[in-house]
Amino acid sequence: MNFTFDSELDSFVATVSDFITKDYSPQHIRNAWQQESPFSQEKWQSMVGLGITQMTLDERFNGMGLSLDEAALVYEELAYGGVIEPIIEHSILVNNLAHYFPYDLQQLISSKLVDSFIAVVHPLSPLVNHLTQAAGLLSINESSIIYTDVASVSHTILPSNDPSRKLSRIDNLESFQAFQIDKNLEQKIVSSGKVMTAIMMLGLSRRCLDITSEYVKTREQFGKPIGSFQAVKHMLADVAVKIEFAKAAVYRAAYSINADNANHALHANIAKYLAAQAGEIATKNSIQAHGAMGYTWEVDLHIFMRRIWAITSQWSSAGALELEIDRFLQSNLEDLGSTFTFREK
Amino acid sequence: MKLNYTNDQNSFRQEVRSWLERNVPKKPLLSLDTKEGFEQHRHWEKTLNKGNWSMVTWPKEYGGRGLDLIEWLIFEEEYYRAKAPIRVNQNGVFLLGPTLMEYGNEAQKQRFLSAMARGEHIWAQGWSEPNAGSDMAAIRSTAIKQGDKFIINGQKTWSSRASFADWTFGLFRSDLETSRHHGLSFILVPLDASGVSVRPIPQLDGEPGFAEIFFDNVEVPTDNLIGNEGQGWNIAMATAGFERGLMLRSPARFQETAANLIKLASNYDNLAPSINAALIDCWVRAEAYALNIYQTASKIQAGKKIGPESSLGKIFWSNLDLEMHAVALKILGTQSELKNEEAKNISSWIKGFMFSLAGPIYAGTNEIQKNIVAERLLGLPR
């Protein structure tokens, strides 16, 4: 039992953090919003250059073969930066799982895993982000994965409340190749979608808290920084508590996916449930601590709040997670208790 | 990261489980806040000690097993699973013990740790005073050095277990020229010393779980000073860190409550969706606490220090404990007020609820914890 991250990855996280600070400022995001497609091929290639897409990719595809829990902090850092390009999605939903895919599908996509973006659509995440920038689309359901060239997809662009997201509703697939999969793989993909959203939520919530902490240190009222008032302190401490107590659950769920834990679905539900709560209170209390400034387009806070609001119900809303957790509890009553958490079946 | 128990950890769990199955009293002990119940619990501490289970993380020479924090968590899980008695000496083994390991000299460790492990010294806390509660640096009780003695005067209050305990550890002002956090010393005082008087205070449940302690020219040898004179505040903060953090409140306790809550609810049909949502929320949070503590234990094992982060944990578990009991009372409805001993599965919830109300207050109120989080973790101005 060792619930710590490999310290060899510290420098990787630091490199990504540095990239966010220097090359991915809120001003860059605002500039990207002015483009027809905010997706920047240049930024995508920079991130590929950092090795992001190779982290969780199996060695047979020229990847580093890290498990999702080991790579989680790097993805969290990218989410903290509010990156527009769906590189976290590509890395977690496709690359981390590619070696479980049917062999013929692996052959078909293997050349696109490191450099290109492959989009994923599933009933729990039915709108595709940045489809026009993708090199392929995987449509996943309980029994199959369907691969399509983007040119063969007829779709309708739908506007999002988050200008960083360019959503497409899939209307028709004109030609495609279908591959049968078993339920286990589909469940793994669903758990990955939940854990991915949870990881992003951790990074984004932390960003909201950091922006707000800085703001309340400098904004003065009644002759002192508003951050010196207990009402403001306590509001932000509440956010810190929610973030802190989502973290371990998220990393654990990430671990369970690659470790083939029989309860990975439960772990993913718990992770997303807690991370979504952190996101909810992070946005609510951050905007409140900013006062009317938090309600403006000018302050950067909304760049990150919008993303939280946009993704919070991807791969299952809070209500659906509750129902699934409830079903688990009702059918495992005798297993619950102090020895439950790490018990192996 | 490796989130499985080793074979050694699994066999350790089996060893704990089978010992507890053989030794946990079949008949529940009387309340530890009665004279008779206190002695029953002291006897249980002695029984634990005979099995070398007083504190598994301590070195063997002091009655421990030299094991790590993960094994301690496993021990706690089995302990709560077995419904073993509350540790009457938790102030000693969970708070003073780790403090002595860090700040005590060899003679003090020899003298106090083993006696603590054997249940010969049951410890009370001596922090708060009538005018030093959340503002603990306002302490006025004094310990003035005269030769090889301290002369102690003043008053401590809300001293848990002091009604029947043997010793107290606390902070006293040893330098009258200084103020606030300076000039405080961490001193151990026997409660049977001449000049000490203890006045039990009945708590919300009617039992004297805490007490006031009056010191009237009490003489204590300077050997009872922990660390250096004037270093008391830092030592007390370390002790408080153990209290807020994983030591005093291991996750097992809350996981058992959460499981009992889910099982309680399963006996009722047609619970309102809001009750069901609250139940799930509580269970998930108990799980989140356990996961966080395993991560924290792993970090400590890897050599990291845990500082103000322990305040996050204290806020989290105390709110969780309170809400779990509050939901249970809503489920029990008109039965919830019953205190009958024959139906413990019902009466334990109102009893637990009363106790859980203290959680957001003791070990530093949650409001103080939030100040600590805001100032020391988020860097907000004082």
PDB file of all heavy atoms in Angstrom, chain B residues 96-119:
ATOM      1  N   LEU B  96      -0.441  12.726  23.435  1.00  0.00           N
ATOM      2  CA  LEU B  96       0.799  12.940  24.178  1.00  0.00           C
ATOM      3  C   LEU B  96       1.903  12.003  23.681  1.00  0.00           C
ATOM      4  O   LEU B  96       3.066  12.404  23.582  1.00  0.00           O
ATOM      5  CB  LEU B  96       0.548  12.739  25.682  1.00  0.00           C
ATOM      6  CG  LEU B  96       1.782  12.953  26.564  1.00  0.00           C
ATOM      7  CD1 LEU B  96       2.343  14.358  26.409  1.00  0.00           C
ATOM      8  CD2 LEU B  96       1.464  12.663  28.031  1.00  0.00           C
ATOM      9  N   GLY B  97       1.513  10.761  23.373  1.00  0.00           N
ATOM     10  CA  GLY B  97       2.506   9.773  22.917  1.00  0.00           C
ATOM     11  C   GLY B  97       3.351  10.301  21.767  1.00  0.00           C
ATOM     12  O   GLY B  97       4.584  10.399  21.889  1.00  0.00           O
ATOM     13  N   PRO B  98       2.724  10.655  20.649  1.00  0.00           N
ATOM     14  CA  PRO B  98       3.510  11.180  19.516  1.00  0.00           C
ATOM     15  C   PRO B  98       4.299  12.443  19.882  1.00  0.00           C
ATOM     16  O   PRO B  98       5.389  12.674  19.360  1.00  0.00           O
ATOM     17  CB  PRO B  98       2.462  11.513  18.448  1.00  0.00           C
ATOM     18  CG  PRO B  98       1.202  10.843  18.858  1.00  0.00           C
ATOM     19  CD  PRO B  98       1.289  10.543  20.320  1.00  0.00           C
ATOM     20  N   THR B  99       3.735  13.264  20.815  1.00  0.00           N
ATOM     21  CA  THR B  99       4.439  14.475  21.244  1.00  0.00           C
ATOM     22  C   THR B  99       5.725  14.107  21.984  1.00  0.00           C
ATOM     23  O   THR B  99       6.786  14.693  21.756  1.00  0.00           O
ATOM     24  CB  THR B  99       3.534  15.321  22.159  1.00  0.00           C
ATOM     25  OG1 THR B  99       2.284  15.523  21.509  1.00  0.00           O
ATOM     26  CG2 THR B  99       4.156  16.661  22.475  1.00  0.00           C
ATOM     27  N   LEU B 100       5.625  13.108  22.862  1.00  0.00           N
ATOM     28  CA  LEU B 100       6.819  12.667  23.601  1.00  0.00           C
ATOM     29  C   LEU B 100       7.856  12.062  22.658  1.00  0.00           C
ATOM     30  O   LEU B 100       9.059  12.276  22.831  1.00  0.00           O
ATOM     31  CB  LEU B 100       6.429  11.641  24.667  1.00  0.00           C
ATOM     32  CG  LEU B 100       5.712  12.191  25.905  1.00  0.00           C
ATOM     33  CD1 LEU B 100       5.243  11.043  26.793  1.00  0.00           C
ATOM     34  CD2 LEU B 100       6.630  13.120  26.697  1.00  0.00           C
ATOM     35  N   MET B 101       7.380  11.322  21.664  1.00  0.00           N
ATOM     36  CA  MET B 101       8.319  10.736  20.689  1.00  0.00           C
ATOM     37  C   MET B 101       9.144  11.835  20.028  1.00  0.00           C
ATOM     38  O   MET B 101      10.316  11.667  19.750  1.00  0.00           O
ATOM     39  CB  MET B 101       7.568  10.017  19.562  1.00  0.00           C
ATOM     40  CG  MET B 101       6.798   8.816  19.967  1.00  0.00           C
ATOM     41  SD  MET B 101       7.807   7.432  20.450  1.00  0.00           S
ATOM     42  CE  MET B 101       6.467   6.320  20.888  1.00  0.00           C
ATOM     43  N   GLU B 102       8.481  12.966  19.766  1.00  0.00           N
ATOM     44  CA  GLU B 102       9.162  14.028  19.031  1.00  0.00           C
ATOM     45  C   GLU B 102       9.945  14.961  19.950  1.00  0.00           C
ATOM     46  O   GLU B 102      11.032  15.391  19.615  1.00  0.00           O
ATOM     47  CB  GLU B 102       8.122  14.818  18.217  1.00  0.00           C
ATOM     48  CG  GLU B 102       8.710  15.492  17.003  1.00  0.00           C
ATOM     49  CD  GLU B 102       7.635  15.987  16.046  1.00  0.00           C
ATOM     50  OE1 GLU B 102       6.595  15.300  15.907  1.00  0.00           O
ATOM     51  OE2 GLU B 102       7.822  17.074  15.463  1.00  0.00           O
ATOM     52  N   TYR B 103       9.379  15.298  21.100  1.00  0.00           N
ATOM     53  CA  TYR B 103       9.991  16.342  21.932  1.00  0.00           C
ATOM     54  C   TYR B 103      10.504  15.854  23.296  1.00  0.00           C
ATOM     55  O   TYR B 103      11.198  16.592  23.977  1.00  0.00           O
ATOM     56  CB  TYR B 103       8.984  17.472  22.177  1.00  0.00           C
ATOM     57  CG  TYR B 103       8.582  18.209  20.924  1.00  0.00           C
ATOM     58  CD1 TYR B 103       7.410  17.883  20.242  1.00  0.00           C
ATOM     59  CD2 TYR B 103       9.380  19.234  20.401  1.00  0.00           C
ATOM     60  CE1 TYR B 103       7.035  18.555  19.092  1.00  0.00           C
ATOM     61  CE2 TYR B 103       9.012  19.909  19.249  1.00  0.00           C
ATOM     62  CZ  TYR B 103       7.836  19.566  18.607  1.00  0.00           C
ATOM     63  OH  TYR B 103       7.470  20.230  17.465  1.00  0.00           O
ATOM     64  N   GLY B 104      10.109  14.653  23.710  1.00  0.00           N
ATOM     65  CA  GLY B 104      10.504  14.190  25.033  1.00  0.00           C
ATOM     66  C   GLY B 104      11.955  13.720  25.063  1.00  0.00           C
ATOM     67  O   GLY B 104      12.502  13.326  24.033  1.00  0.00           O
ATOM     68  N   ASN B 105      12.592  13.780  26.251  1.00  0.00           N
ATOM     69  CA  ASN B 105      13.930  13.190  26.360  1.00  0.00           C
ATOM     70  C   ASN B 105      13.800  11.702  26.680  1.00  0.00           C
ATOM     71  O   ASN B 105      12.695  11.202  26.939  1.00  0.00           O
ATOM     72  CB  ASN B 105      14.794  13.939  27.376  1.00  0.00           C
ATOM     73  CG  ASN B 105      14.175  13.915  28.777  1.00  0.00           C
ATOM     74  OD1 ASN B 105      13.579  12.913  29.186  1.00  0.00           O
ATOM     75  ND2 ASN B 105      14.302  15.027  29.500  1.00  0.00           N
ATOM     76  N   GLU B 106      14.912  11.002  26.642  1.00  0.00           N
ATOM     77  CA  GLU B 106      14.871   9.543  26.777  1.00  0.00           C
ATOM     78  C   GLU B 106      14.236   9.125  28.100  1.00  0.00           C
ATOM     79  O   GLU B 106      13.401   8.220  28.148  1.00  0.00           O
ATOM     80  CB  GLU B 106      16.292   8.970  26.623  1.00  0.00           C
ATOM     81  CG  GLU B 106      16.348   7.468  26.443  1.00  0.00           C
ATOM     82  CD  GLU B 106      15.368   6.932  25.398  1.00  0.00           C
ATOM     83  OE1 GLU B 106      15.244   7.535  24.309  1.00  0.00           O
ATOM     84  OE2 GLU B 106      14.694   5.915  25.683  1.00  0.00           O
ATOM     85  N   ALA B 107      14.608   9.842  29.189  1.00  0.00           N
ATOM     86  CA  ALA B 107      14.068   9.488  30.513  1.00  0.00           C
ATOM     87  C   ALA B 107      12.545   9.655  30.524  1.00  0.00           C
ATOM     88  O   ALA B 107      11.821   8.835  31.099  1.00  0.00           O
ATOM     89  CB  ALA B 107      14.714  10.366  31.578  1.00  0.00           C
ATOM     90  N   GLN B 108      12.077  10.706  29.890  1.00  0.00           N
ATOM     91  CA  GLN B 108      10.626  10.948  29.861  1.00  0.00           C
ATOM     92  C   GLN B 108       9.907   9.873  29.047  1.00  0.00           C
ATOM     93  O   GLN B 108       8.829   9.401  29.428  1.00  0.00           O
ATOM     94  CB  GLN B 108      10.346  12.338  29.270  1.00  0.00           C
ATOM     95  CG  GLN B 108      10.751  13.462  30.209  1.00  0.00           C
ATOM     96  CD  GLN B 108      10.744  14.817  29.532  1.00  0.00           C
ATOM     97  OE1 GLN B 108      10.918  14.931  28.311  1.00  0.00           O
ATOM     98  NE2 GLN B 108      10.568  15.865  30.334  1.00  0.00           N
ATOM     99  N   LYS B 109      10.520   9.486  27.942  1.00  0.00           N
ATOM    100  CA  LYS B 109       9.904   8.425  27.139  1.00  0.00           C
ATOM    101  C   LYS B 109       9.812   7.140  27.957  1.00  0.00           C
ATOM    102  O   LYS B 109       8.775   6.477  27.985  1.00  0.00           O
ATOM    103  CB  LYS B 109      10.732   8.182  25.869  1.00  0.00           C
ATOM    104  CG  LYS B 109      10.641   9.304  24.852  1.00  0.00           C
ATOM    105  CD  LYS B 109      11.388   8.913  23.582  1.00  0.00           C
ATOM    106  CE  LYS B 109      11.797  10.151  22.813  1.00  0.00           C
ATOM    107  NZ  LYS B 109      12.675   9.834  21.685  1.00  0.00           N
ATOM    108  N   GLN B 110      10.922   6.806  28.626  1.00  0.00           N
ATOM    109  CA  GLN B 110      10.950   5.581  29.434  1.00  0.00           C
ATOM    110  C   GLN B 110       9.867   5.629  30.503  1.00  0.00           C
ATOM    111  O   GLN B 110       9.160   4.663  30.752  1.00  0.00           O
ATOM    112  CB  GLN B 110      12.319   5.436  30.136  1.00  0.00           C
ATOM    113  CG  GLN B 110      13.477   5.193  29.218  1.00  0.00           C
ATOM    114  CD  GLN B 110      13.486   3.786  28.649  1.00  0.00           C
ATOM    115  OE1 GLN B 110      12.662   2.958  29.032  1.00  0.00           O
ATOM    116  NE2 GLN B 110      14.387   3.526  27.715  1.00  0.00           N
ATOM    117  N   ARG B 111       9.759   6.800  31.130  1.00  0.00           N
ATOM    118  CA  ARG B 111       8.884   6.906  32.287  1.00  0.00           C
ATOM    119  C   ARG B 111       7.407   6.931  31.892  1.00  0.00           C
ATOM    120  O   ARG B 111       6.578   6.284  32.531  1.00  0.00           O
ATOM    121  CB  ARG B 111       9.238   8.194  33.032  1.00  0.00           C
ATOM    122  CG  ARG B 111       8.415   8.403  34.288  1.00  0.00           C
ATOM    123  CD  ARG B 111       8.905   9.623  35.038  1.00  0.00           C
ATOM    124  NE  ARG B 111       7.954  10.003  36.056  1.00  0.00           N
ATOM    125  CZ  ARG B 111       7.786  11.231  36.500  1.00  0.00           C
ATOM    126  NH1 ARG B 111       8.519  12.209  35.981  1.00  0.00           N
ATOM    127  NH2 ARG B 111       6.910  11.499  37.434  1.00  0.00           N
ATOM    128  N   PHE B 112       7.101   7.679  30.846  1.00  0.00           N
ATOM    129  CA  PHE B 112       5.677   7.926  30.577  1.00  0.00           C
ATOM    130  C   PHE B 112       5.052   7.005  29.515  1.00  0.00           C
ATOM    131  O   PHE B 112       3.883   6.653  29.629  1.00  0.00           O
ATOM    132  CB  PHE B 112       5.468   9.388  30.172  1.00  0.00           C
ATOM    133  CG  PHE B 112       5.701  10.332  31.312  1.00  0.00           C
ATOM    134  CD1 PHE B 112       6.799  11.178  31.335  1.00  0.00           C
ATOM    135  CD2 PHE B 112       4.819  10.351  32.390  1.00  0.00           C
ATOM    136  CE1 PHE B 112       7.015  12.042  32.398  1.00  0.00           C
ATOM    137  CE2 PHE B 112       5.022  11.219  33.463  1.00  0.00           C
ATOM    138  CZ  PHE B 112       6.128  12.068  33.467  1.00  0.00           C
ATOM    139  N   LEU B 113       5.830   6.664  28.484  1.00  0.00           N
ATOM    140  CA  LEU B 113       5.196   5.918  27.390  1.00  0.00           C
ATOM    141  C   LEU B 113       4.727   4.534  27.825  1.00  0.00           C
ATOM    142  O   LEU B 113       3.589   4.132  27.542  1.00  0.00           O
ATOM    143  CB  LEU B 113       6.149   5.821  26.193  1.00  0.00           C
ATOM    144  CG  LEU B 113       6.365   7.142  25.452  1.00  0.00           C
ATOM    145  CD1 LEU B 113       7.465   7.005  24.399  1.00  0.00           C
ATOM    146  CD2 LEU B 113       5.072   7.612  24.786  1.00  0.00           C
ATOM    147  N   SER B 114       5.596   3.810  28.546  1.00  0.00           N
ATOM    148  CA  SER B 114       5.206   2.455  28.926  1.00  0.00           C
ATOM    149  C   SER B 114       4.049   2.481  29.914  1.00  0.00           C
ATOM    150  O   SER B 114       3.120   1.675  29.823  1.00  0.00           O
ATOM    151  CB  SER B 114       6.390   1.710  29.531  1.00  0.00           C
ATOM    152  OG  SER B 114       7.461   1.783  28.637  1.00  0.00           O
ATOM    153  N   ALA B 115       4.101   3.423  30.862  1.00  0.00           N
ATOM    154  CA  ALA B 115       3.026   3.527  31.856  1.00  0.00           C
ATOM    155  C   ALA B 115       1.705   3.873  31.172  1.00  0.00           C
ATOM    156  O   ALA B 115       0.632   3.406  31.569  1.00  0.00           O
ATOM    157  CB  ALA B 115       3.371   4.594  32.893  1.00  0.00           C
ATOM    158  N   MET B 116       1.807   4.685  30.137  1.00  0.00           N
ATOM    159  CA  MET B 116       0.633   5.054  29.346  1.00  0.00           C
ATOM    160  C   MET B 116       0.098   3.815  28.626  1.00  0.00           C
ATOM    161  O   MET B 116      -1.107   3.524  28.655  1.00  0.00           O
ATOM    162  CB  MET B 116       1.093   6.091  28.316  1.00  0.00           C
ATOM    163  CG  MET B 116       0.037   6.781  27.546  1.00  0.00           C
ATOM    164  SD  MET B 116       0.842   7.804  26.277  1.00  0.00           S
ATOM    165  CE  MET B 116       1.762   9.000  27.236  1.00  0.00           C
ATOM    166  N   ALA B 117       1.011   3.080  28.009  1.00  0.00           N
ATOM    167  CA  ALA B 117       0.605   1.886  27.258  1.00  0.00           C
ATOM    168  C   ALA B 117      -0.040   0.860  28.191  1.00  0.00           C
ATOM    169  O   ALA B 117      -0.987   0.173  27.812  1.00  0.00           O
ATOM    170  CB  ALA B 117       1.811   1.275  26.553  1.00  0.00           C
ATOM    171  N   ARG B 118       0.449   0.774  29.430  1.00  0.00           N
ATOM    172  CA  ARG B 118      -0.095  -0.211  30.380  1.00  0.00           C
ATOM    173  C   ARG B 118      -1.390   0.245  31.032  1.00  0.00           C
ATOM    174  O   ARG B 118      -1.956  -0.468  31.844  1.00  0.00           O
ATOM    175  CB  ARG B 118       0.950  -0.508  31.466  1.00  0.00           C
ATOM    176  CG  ARG B 118       2.124  -1.350  30.999  1.00  0.00           C
ATOM    177  CD  ARG B 118       2.939  -1.860  32.182  1.00  0.00           C
ATOM    178  NE  ARG B 118       3.469  -0.779  32.995  1.00  0.00           N
ATOM    179  CZ  ARG B 118       4.676  -0.224  32.834  1.00  0.00           C
ATOM    180  NH1 ARG B 118       5.467  -0.666  31.878  1.00  0.00           N
ATOM    181  NH2 ARG B 118       5.080   0.758  33.620  1.00  0.00           N
ATOM    182  N   GLY B 119      -1.836   1.469  30.723  1.00  0.00           N
ATOM    183  CA  GLY B 119      -3.071   1.961  31.330  1.00  0.00           C
ATOM    184  C   GLY B 119      -2.886   2.429  32.764  1.00  0.00           C
ATOM    185  O   GLY B 119      -3.856   2.694  33.467  1.00  0.00           O
TER     186      GLY B 119
END
